[in-house]
C-alpha cells in the first residue's frame, strides 16, 4: 500500500501500519513530536491519513490510563489536507494538539473549540546551548508524582500520568535533604525528540537560579541520549518565555492545545 494515492474526496483511511506515515511525520520531528509519539510509539490509539503518501495524519487515543481523556494529534501540510483527515474524528470531547494556528479554521469546521491555549514551540541545538547549571540535581523519584500533579494540573488527577513520565522519561530535581523543592521532567520521548515539561520551583525556593539549573541539566541529559530537547511555553507565561530565550532555545512557531467538542 506504500506509495499509493487515495483519490480526492475519499474518506480518511485507518492506518494499521504506522510505518506508512513515519516519513511524513518525521520530516519535522520537533513540530510533529506529539503526533509522532501517538502514531509511532503508542498502541492504544487510532491513526488516520488523508491518503498515502499522506499530506495529513490524525491520531486519536482511546482514553485509557494514564491519560484517561481522548488526546488527539494532528499533522497537516495545509487546511485542505487537515479538513480531509479531521473527518475521521468521532463526535465528543477531546484534547487536540494543533501544530499550526493556521489550521484552527479547519478544526472549527469539524468541532467546537471550547478553549484554545497557544504556546511557543522551542527547540535547543547544541551550538546555541547555554549551560547555566549551578546546582546539584538528581532524578525525581516516582513517589513525588502526587506533589507534582497537584501543582501542575490541580483540576485533573494527573498523578498517574506524572508517575508514568517519571518512570519512563528523563527528569531532574533539586532537593533540600530528602525534600523535592524544584523539578523538570518530560512529556514524551520519541526516537529523535524529548519534549520537556512541568518545570516548577516551590514558591519559597524561587529566585535562586533553580529553574536555570534544571533546564540546563535536563537539556544535557537529553543531548547525551542523542535527542533534541524541545518544549512548549504558553504565550501568557512571560517568566518561562524569558527563561527559555536566555538559555539559547529557539522559538520555532506557535502551536496550540485545544479543548474541542467534535461534531
Amino acid at each position: 500500500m506504500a506509495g499509493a494515492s487515495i483519490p480526492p474526496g475519499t474518506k480518511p483511511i485507518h492506518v494499521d501500519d504506522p510505518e506508512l506515515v513515519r516519513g511524513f511525520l518525521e520530516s519535522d520531528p520537533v513540530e510533529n513530536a506529539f503526533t509522532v509519539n501517538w502514531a509511532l510509539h503508542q498502541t492504544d490509539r487510532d491513526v488516520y491519513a488523508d491518503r498515502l503518501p499522506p499530506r495529513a495524519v490524525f491520531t486519536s487515543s482511546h482514553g485509557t490510563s494514564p491519560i484517561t481523556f481522548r488526546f488527539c494529534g494532528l499533522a497537516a501540510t495545509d487546511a485542505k489536507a487537515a479538513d480531509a483527515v479531521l473527518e475521521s474524528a468521532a463526535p465528543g470531547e477531546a484534547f487536540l494538539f494543533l501544530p499550526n494556528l493556521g489550521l484552527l479554521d479547519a478544526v472549527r469546521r469539524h468541532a467546537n473549540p471550547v478553549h484554545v491555549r497557544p504556546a511557543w514551540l522551542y527547540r535547543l541545538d547544541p551550538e546555541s546551548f547555554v549551560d547555566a547549571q549551578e546546582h546539584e540535581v538528581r532524578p525525581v523519584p516516582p513517589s513525588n508524582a502526587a506533589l507534582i500533579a497537584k501543582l501542575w494540573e490541580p483540576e485533573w488527577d494527573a498523578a498517574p500520568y506524572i508517575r508514568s513520565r517519571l518512570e519512563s522519561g528523563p527528569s531532574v530535581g533539586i532537593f533540600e535533604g530528602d525534600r523535592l523543592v524544584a523539578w523538570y521532567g518530560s512529556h514524551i520521548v520519541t526516537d529523535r525528540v524529548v519534549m520537556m515539561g512541568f518545570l516548577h520551583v516551590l514558591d519559597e525556593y524561587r529566585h535562586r537560579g533553580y529553574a536555570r539549573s534544571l533546564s540546563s541539566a535536563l537539556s544535557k541529559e537529553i543531548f547525551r541520549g542523542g535527542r533534541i530537547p524541545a518544549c512548549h511555553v504558553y504565550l501568557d507565561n512571560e517568566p518561562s518565555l524569558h527563561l527559555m530565550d536566555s538559555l539559547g532555545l529557539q522559538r520555532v512557531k506557535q502551536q496550540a492545545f485545544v479543548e474541542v467538542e467534535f461534531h
Side-chain angles (χ1 to χ4, degrees):
M1 206 169 172
S5 179
I6 305 300
T10 303
K11 286 189 175 295
I13 57 173
H14 189 273
V15 179
D16 294 319
D17 180 3
E19 292 302 315
L20 296 175
V21 300
R22 178 184 290 274
F24 170 73
L25 292 175
E26 292 193 338
S27 64
D28 194 328
V30 175
E31 176 179 339
N32 295 329
F34 274 97
T35 309
V36 166
N37 174 64
W38 281 100
L40 304 181
H41 298 282
Q42 307 296 324
T43 56
D44 204 10
R45 83 291 181 260
D46 292 299
V47 181
Y48 298 89
D50 61 328
R51 64 186 191 186
L52 294 173
R55 295 175 64 247
V57 172
F58 178 76
T59 63
S60 181
S61 77
H62 294 168
T64 54
S65 183
I67 298 180
T68 53
F69 52 85
R70 181 166 53 140
F71 187 96
C72 299
L74 176 66
T77 57
D78 53 47
K80 183 177 180 181
D83 262 322
V85 77
L86 284 169
E87 291 183 10
S88 65
E93 296 179 352
F95 195 70
L96 172 67
F97 166 70
L98 191 64
N100 187 328
L101 295 182
L103 300 177
L104 193 53
D105 284 343
V107 172
R108 289 191 177 101
R109 288 190 279 272
H110 300 268
N112 173 33
V114 178
H115 188 207
V116 180
R117 290 203 71 184
W120 274 105
L121 169 66
Y122 281 90
R123 67 173 287 163
L124 181 60
D125 298 308
E127 59 272 17
S128 60
F129 172 54
V130 177
D131 189 352
Q133 184 179 352
E134 297 180 350
H135 303 88
E136 180 183 352
V137 305
R138 61 180 191 260
V140 179
S143 57
N144 291 281
L147 165 68
I148 295 172
K150 181 180 179 181
L151 295 169
W152 177 61
E153 284 289 350
E155 296 181 3
W156 170 46
D157 180 15
Y161 170 71
I162 296 295
R163 175 176 287 277
S164 74
R165 297 310 315 140
L166 296 176
E167 291 173 342
S168 59
S171 67
V172 289
I174 295 175
F175 295 78
E176 186 176 81
D178 293 330
R179 185 190 183 198
L180 177 67
V181 300
W183 54 83
Y184 206 2
S186 64
H187 284 299
I188 58 174
V189 177
T190 71
D191 293 336
R192 299 171 65 183
V193 177
V194 175
M195 193 65 68
M196 304 179 290
F198 48 91
L199 171 64
H200 190 85
V201 179
L202 295 181
D203 288 347
E204 61 268 37
Y205 293 90
R206 294 186 177 179
H207 310 296
R208 302 185 186 187
Y210 285 179
R212 293 178 64 80
S213 284
L214 290 168
S215 297
S216 296
L218 185 57
S219 296
K220 287 186 287 188
E221 179 70 17
I222 294 167
F223 282 138
R224 282 192 288 268
R227 293 179 171 88
I228 302 168
C231 68
H232 286 96
V233 180
Y234 290 123
L235 269 58
D236 58 1
N237 190 345
E238 286 293 339
S240 290
L241 291 169
H242 176 73
L243 173 65
M244 297 307 154
D245 291 337
S246 72
L247 292 172
L249 285 87
Q250 303 298 311
R251 297 190 187 198
V252 179
K253 66 189 302 184
Q254 290 186 19
Q255 301 186 318
F257 297 89
V258 188
E259 294 177 36
V260 298
E261 179 81 28
F262 281 110
H263 303 156

